[in-house]
Amino acid sequence: MGTIRVDARGHASPATRSIRPEDMEQEWQRFDAAIGRTEEELKSLKARVEKISGADEAAIFDAHLLFLRDSSVLGKLRKELPRRLQNIEAVYYAVVQNFMEIMRHLDDPYLRSRVADIEDVLHRVLKNMEPAKLPETAEESKEPMLLAAHDLTPSDTADLDTSTVQGFVTEVGSAVSHTAILARSLGLPAVVAVPQLLLEVRVGQPAILDGYNGLLIINPTPETTEYYQALRVRKEKAYQSLVEQRDLPSVTLDGRAIRLAANVEYAHEYSVIKGYGAEGVGLFRSEFFLLGSGNGGMPNEEQQYEHYRKLVESCSPHEVVFRTLDSGGDKLPCEEMTEKENNPFLGWRGIRVSLTRVEMFKDQLRAILRASAHGKAAVMFPMVSGITEVRDTLALVEECKEELRERGQAFDESMRVGIMIEVPSAAVMADVLAPYVDFFSIGTNDLTQYTIAVDRVNFRVASMFRPTHPGVIRLMSQTIQAGIPTAICGEMGGDITLVPLLIGLGATELSMSMHLLPLVRYAVRHLNFKECQKLAQAALHAEDSRTIRNLSRQLAEKRYPDLFAEV
Ligand code: PEP
Ligand code: MG
């Protein structure tokens, strides 16, 4: 619950209105105040990033600060304001757009890539100029708010001040897009794919975001507000009591142990996942660390090692499963590409990138191996489609081990190596791949997307995105039947409705956003493995996704009805 704040990145230019010559002084004052506020913001962001990721990562903000006071931009603004006699944000917007256009045509790819940084600064200044958002007192700025945006990039999402932002709503996206995944790791309610959102909402409107039902309620009545206030109190209380059970073993009533681990994207999660009962990390999405710093450069082996080591140590004695770089798809590319891909999800993604950038890949492999000397680590590879990639990758792992031995650097000789099963061909070939690796981890987000040919981030086909499609369930079963430990780490793994099905299919580990762990632990502890197996057998004979979902839901509601109350 909060007041609406609009983030219009890449969407709309600021409103333009005429001013009189005598208004100019006041316009400059507003502009200077916005620049000052932006400077403060960038400095504190820099300090925050420095603390979390080190000085190198934070250096990007120096460039932002320089641009903020760039004399050629300010000079142009001084010239243009009296000429145009428009509100200063409109003139500033035009001047910076012009600047960006020139940069887009430069030959130097590095300078071209800096356009995004300039856009970032422009966006911040404009945001700081919006009168409705200018807090009059420090206290007011702490008011709870709901962010409405066309879309949010992973770094926008990472930047959100969760002490004030209570949730967000976007025009595009889907439940398994990376924006939604990041919302889960921040523990923020989010509603995505709301068409025309920015035309409907106004800054400062009171609103309620109901993530359970996918609702944004603007200007709620007093009755609605009261209902949600009471619901929130009840939900928080129920959730807290589940969190308190974090140390109870995640074992079914008839003794089947299921490891419950966390999916991790952000450094702020490292120290808190244990508090939610995570038995280590089942999926470390390393791309958010490797590509998220915004400075264009990839951390080197040493920097990666230091970072991974911290995570391994904070999870000890539990294991951290590092997934190697999964760039491409809807995530950031790992380098600027000369041509945009027509089908990025079928393109240069995951292990395909790593196997063509061998030195970069080996830096990451050595860093992970070295981190394994400080606790329990494992490595796994994304987007594997067949045996050749597995062989090539394992050969590189061996090469890296040999190099570390030569250097005399320690690593865990028995570090587990696994692959993600998220491409249908890998699932079909699971029995052939199994002898080569120690474990599988099924990425149901991509496995669903590729099996039923439904783009996971396209809201037009979002209703067709069904992880319980019988085609997907049969591939998952086939994978698990190959007989090596198999985890589920896609969004499906944290869905309390589907936990009975996943356990029944034989998954030995579920990995999910840490906030979902207390619910899933409770679910596991109330299930009977044999009953789940029977359900899975029925699911494997079912003809459609709805039947399979309902079968699992029936058992879930029978075994832990309290988790479904009021949702
Ligand atoms: C998946 O595809 O299910 C998965 C866990 O990987 P990602 O969501 O990062 O693509
Ligand atoms: Mg994936």
Side-chain angles (χ1 to χ4, degrees), residues 323 326 349 420 422 446 456:
R323 176 177 74 184
D326 186 20
R349 225 205 124 176
M420 289 194 71
E422 43 188 0
D446 279 317
R456 65 191 268 190

Side-chain angles (χ1 to χ4, degrees), residues 178 285 323 326 331 349 382-383 420 422 443-447 450 456:
H178 287 96
R285 288 186 163 99
R323 176 177 74 184
D326 186 20
K331 290 177 261 200
R349 225 205 124 176
M383 275 289 289
M420 289 194 71
E422 43 188 0
T444 52
N445 308 334
D446 279 317
L447 186 63
Y450 294 128
R456 65 191 268 190

